[in-house]
Amino acid sequence: MSFNSLPFLLFFVVVFTLYWFPLREKTKAQNILILLASWFFYGYASLKMLPLLIGATALFYGIGLALKHCKSEKGASWISALGVVLGVGLLLYFKYFNFFIESFSSLFGALGLQTNWHTFQIILPLGLSFITFKLISYVVEIRRGKLEPETDFIAFAAYVAFFPCLLSGPIDRPQFLGQLHKTRSFDYDTAAEGIRQFLWGLAKKVLIADRCSLVIDPVWENISGASGSMLLTAALLFSFQMYTDFSGYSDMAIGTGKLLGFRVARNFNYPFFATNVAEYWRRWHMSLTGWLTDYVFMPLNVRFRDWGQFGMILAIVINMVLVGLWHGANWTFGVFGLYHGLLFVPLILSGAFAKKHKLKPGWLGLPKLSDFGGMVLTFLLVTVGLIIFKADSIAQAWQYLAGMAHLETLKGFYLFFLHPDFRTKTVLIIALMILEWRNRTVEFPLVPLKCYHWAVRYAIYLVLVCLLIMLWGKNLTFLYIEF
Amino acid sequence: MQKEDLLLKVQDIFRDVLDDEEIVLSETSTAEDVEGWDSLTHIQLIVAIEKKFKIKFTSKEILSWKNVGELIDCLASKLA
């Protein structure tokens, strides 16, 4: 039940109506509704895996209670370690077990040793990477003394399974539980903002992401037959597709949350305006990078703190490899993470890593030339990384990059900007970038609409809806669903 | 050393590391209240405090502080 589908619309209308009418201001009943709706939402997508979600929820709820009642420091330490091991173990088993078997088999094979290990038929439960991260952070936050164990099972299970964020995030921290205990009154402004954000996310998905895939997919299916310029065009478009698809999804999730009166974690902050790679990662998939910063990078950085810059480089490279591998069991993701980790090295050595760069507009409100240069360079570096990310194997990524490495490739810029077949996409992408630049200080570009005269506001909605109807293509699933 | 004195000394370290003379710390200050104090500069602040007071925090201590007050309490217990 994808956000951009009719079943979701019908499902949400029912939930919204029950939530704000018969159950209005009845917090417990609303939480029960959220929980049942979330489990239904998950079961609709993957009924077989619903018991796993419920079981994991119950188990971690129990671990929280055990921590609450444990009086000894050593006991609490063991219980929280068990929680983390179980969370990581779930992820390792479902996501990486076959990958380890295959990798060790080929390693032994390369050393001339025969193995008869078999891979297993393991189906990756939907949203597992997001769910386990929520569960692990719950245990770690209690252990760090920053959270009280939850005693209300309904609230805890509703946090874990909160349907807007269940399948592809954003990854909310357990502090979200506080919102589940508060009385939620219907606030027209928040709900209207939720609809605007949902509409904005849908527009990015339908108008840009889905249309880009029409160009990108055929190129990737036949890399050897594609010209260098076509490879470059598809690579540039893929960066925009990835961004509009995933940030579009996140906007729809956050918008849905707002319609139910919740503040969901922000996931994107205009990443293509980053002037270096460190800044880019502070703006891209923020709920994942924030999670890994708190639970992986910080502990490593604390441990390596006496090693100076080398310690920080080591911590960031390990962190970025994990960011890569989190996406799936394939060496391409590991290399993608390593590539980004290495891009941090010059930034750490120069000290630019820790500095937050404030974007100040120059002539006509446009970015300053030096900032613009940094943005273009960062975008191109990110695009190279996304080629590795999208490839099925390192060999395929290499084939793609090698295919671009000649002068003819420069025609790709012509194709991208001027070719009649790409004109609509280019216009839409440039329009997106202009709108984002003008509204880069607010959460999403439609926020200022609330201050417009109602006639202008509704005219803009109408134009957006008409565009959506006119350009609605094949209803494609979201790229991040597979992670 | 009194907690107030420790707070002033830690405040000096913050001003020095974050290069901002206008930083004013209180026991309830958190990273959200101090511009430039994030996960990256946090480690530089810790290293500077450890050097200044010639003490060593444990990883668990560093990761459990919720505000400046808890940092100061931990520092005071090390110096006692």
Side-chain angles (χ1 to χ4, degrees), chain A residues 159-175:
Chain A
Y159 155 66
V160 176
F162 188 58
F163 70 86
C165 310
L166 180 57
L167 299 184
S168 294
I171 306 164
D172 265 303
R173 300 298 175 84
Q175 281 74 10

Side-chain angles (χ1 to χ4, degrees), chain A residues 35-101:
Chain A
L35 178 61
L36 293 177
S38 299
W39 282 354
F40 172 80
F41 181 81
Y42 196 79
Y44 188 91
S46 170
L47 189 58
K48 265 192 204 160
M49 292 298 169
L50 185 58
L52 181 77
L53 171 67
I54 298 173
T57 306
L59 187 64
F60 276 78
Y61 175 71
I63 289 172
L65 288 185
L67 280 171
K68 187 179 174 70
H69 296 295
C70 182
K71 298 282 176 251
S72 81
E73 176 67 17
K74 207 174 170 187
S77 189
W78 275 105
I79 295 168
S80 51
L82 175 74
V84 173
V85 168
L86 279 171
V88 175
L90 266 176
L91 205 54
L92 286 180
Y93 174 72
F94 282 102
K95 208 164 173 173
Y96 303 100
F97 195 69
N98 282 337
F99 173 65
F100 288 135
I101 290 181

